[in-house]
Amino acid sequence: MAQSFGLIGLAVMGENLALNIERNGFPIAVYNRSRDKTDTFMATRAQGKQVQPTYSLEEFVAALEPPRKILIMVKAGGPVDAVIEQLKPLLAPGDILIDGGNSLYEDTERRTQDLEALGLTYIGMGVSGGEEGALNGPSLMPGGTRSAYEKIEPIVTKIAAQVDNGPCVTYIGPGGSGHYVKMVHNGIEYGDMQLIAEAYDLLKTVGGLNQAQLQATFAAWNQTDELNSFLIEITAEIFKVSDPDTQEPLVELIQDAAGQKGTGRWTVMSALELGVSIPTIIAAVNARIMSSIKAERTAAAQELSGPGLIAPVDQATFIDQVRDALYCSKICSYAQGMALLAKASAEFGYGLNLAEMARIWKGGCIIRAGFLSKIERAFTDNPQLPNLLLAPEFKQTILDRQAAWRSVVATAAQTGIAVPAFSASLDYFDSYRRDRLPQNLTQAQRDFFGAHTYERIDKPGTFHTEWAALANG
């Protein structure tokens, strides 16, 4: 009997998605380049399930009912292109290829044009939720031809995470829109993680919290409407774990050099190209880069000194201030991500529904958080909202908490603790709320050395001044 769905690539994410698809009533054929991987999967996790192993792409394609629906779960970049090239001669018009990896949206655009010229259909689908989400319900972001999405809709709506108002999947838009949204999702994730790391650093270094107190604080924060989220939840879980050999907090024994796979950097590059300000996300990417030069930092620590700690703070008050600063900064991070999605949607013709983007991130994905419901409502109430900071609920939240936010950033500066994402978020807020910034001087300088011209505030037109002549005349 022909299988209703196919999956290529049996790494952990691929295995888990295959089991999720099968569990939801869709018999599946699987293929992996390494036969041993397929055999192990069939002998263990897939045993007794409606999973058909195949050992060549020819056998794999033949096992699928037309139109074939094939999910590719291999490493982004060249490996995806290689699989597509091998599949091309085996497929028939109407067959659907779905790339579920973290592909660059521009690659997805290119592949879409190439395959649709052959009568095939290509869907670039962001998948978020890690291993657990893949197995039990991820957030899915499929972009491509709407008619192709409708053919896979019965499957993806079943396997996605389910929240109070539907499955965490929606038709994103044409071309590479699904992978673009997933890229920005990951950029927001970078910002979120860096903000939490900075909160931890402040609570430990300035507040003097020990492991048990850190655990209790993050667990309490996870019970609040503002900070309830997957990342806060797992942070509280991390602080529960001690190293079995030393009995020290395990997190304190981990090398402070963070890795990255590229989606954060891609988000920054796209924002720069589109002219959208995302300083919190840029700060988060920079923080990972700075962390990676561990040996250099260790040497510099012997040469460069800072101000040292100020007088002890009132611990309970400081915890509350850091909580408020974290929430205000988090609002800014999401505001930047949503602003970037809005600009990309207009620039690339994606037609994104920002309320739907927030809705499908409410479950399954890494940035799932309680306050996404507030973001969903904000864009539902005003689809043309230019920035989340102007949504009534978020506006009042920041206005009420900005004193604590400023105090935390000032304390960090006085004690020599780097809080690049907290600071960038506050700078974003302060820049956005001012009707006049000092770039009038920048424009004067540009006109002085390059005759780039400028506009005036008191009359229309474009002007150039011979600055040197007037200054020295």
Side-chain angles (χ1 to χ4, degrees), residues 297-315:
R297 286 188 292 111
T298 300
Q302 306 304 312
E303 303 285 338
L304 305 174
S305 60
L309 294 179
I310 58 175
V313 297
D314 179 80
Q315 199 173 75

Side-chain angles (χ1 to χ4, degrees), residues 144-405:
T145 306
R146 182 180 282 276
S147 60
Y149 171 73
E150 290 169 355
K151 289 185 174 67
I152 67 167
E153 188 173 20
I155 299 175
V156 294
T157 52
K158 282 280 188 68
I159 69 170
Q162 308 293 317
V163 293
D164 55 357
N165 55 350
C168 292
V169 60
T170 191
Y171 174 66
I172 300 295
S177 60
H179 277 140
Y180 193 94
V181 168
K182 176 56 164 53
M183 176 190 77
V184 175
H185 162 287
N186 284 23
I188 295 171
E189 179 184 309
Y190 271 59
D192 242 357
M193 294 175 72
Q194 177 63 24
L195 289 168
I196 292 170
E198 291 175 15
Y200 146 72
D201 194 7
L202 287 164
L203 292 173
K204 183 183 73 166
T205 310
V206 178
L209 275 66
N210 60 29
Q211 182 184 16
Q213 291 170 315
L214 287 166
Q215 195 282 324
T217 297
F218 279 92
W221 286 356
N222 194 48
Q223 300 304 311
T224 65
D225 288 340
E226 296 92 342
L227 293 178
N228 168 256
S229 66
F230 173 71
L231 286 169
I232 295 288
E233 176 188 336
I234 67 168
T235 301
E237 292 293 298
I238 286 168
F239 289 126
K240 288 181 179 178
V241 180
S242 296
D243 174 52
D245 296 327
T246 65
Q247 303 310 309
E248 295 290 317
L250 181 56
V251 68
E252 303 299 340
L253 300 177
I254 296 175
Q255 188 72 272
D256 58 321
Q260 54 179 313
K261 291 188 174 180
T263 47
R265 175 168 48 85
W266 294 345
T267 304
V268 170
M269 291 166 63
S270 179
L272 292 173
E273 289 167 357
L274 291 174
V276 178
S277 177
I278 59 165
T280 307
I281 297 170
I282 291 174
V285 174
N286 281 338
R288 293 199 190 187
I289 294 170
M290 181 63 78
S291 80
S292 70
I293 57 169
K294 173 65 176 177
E296 193 173 333
R297 286 188 292 111
T298 300
Q302 306 304 312
E303 303 285 338
L304 305 174
S305 60
L309 294 179
I310 58 175
V313 297
D314 179 80
Q315 199 173 75
T317 300
F318 190 63
I319 289 171
D320 287 345
Q321 289 178 327
V322 173
R323 178 201 63 210
D324 289 348
L326 176 57
Y327 187 47
C328 291
S329 298
K330 186 182 179 85
I331 292 170
C332 288
S333 182
Y334 281 72
Q336 293 161 34
M338 289 301 193
L340 178 55
L341 287 179
K343 183 63 177 290
S345 180
E347 188 77 14
F348 303 141
Y350 287 158
L352 299 180
N353 180 331
L354 296 185
E356 271 289 271
M357 299 307 100
R359 187 192 68 77
I360 67 171
W361 290 344
K362 283 161 55 176
C365 71
I366 302 303
I367 65 170
R368 61 184 183 267
F371 94 129
L372 279 161
S373 293
K374 299 177 183 179
I375 298 177
E376 180 189 3
R377 281 198 302 271
F379 284 109
T380 299
D381 292 345
N382 181 6
Q384 305 306 316
L385 182 69
N387 193 291
L388 269 183
L389 296 178
L390 299 176
E393 187 168 15
F394 292 120
K395 177 181 74 174
Q396 197 57 49
T397 291
I398 287 187
L399 294 179
D400 290 345
R401 302 180 189 214
Q402 63 173 308
W405 192 11

Side-chain angles (χ1 to χ4, degrees), residues 17-38:
L17 282 168
L19 293 173
N20 185 351
I21 292 164
E22 190 275 341
R23 187 181 67 248
N24 279 285
F26 303 97
I28 187 168
V30 298
Y31 170 77
N32 194 77
R33 188 174 59 173
S34 164
R35 182 187 182 102
D36 290 346
K37 184 69 174 171
T38 305

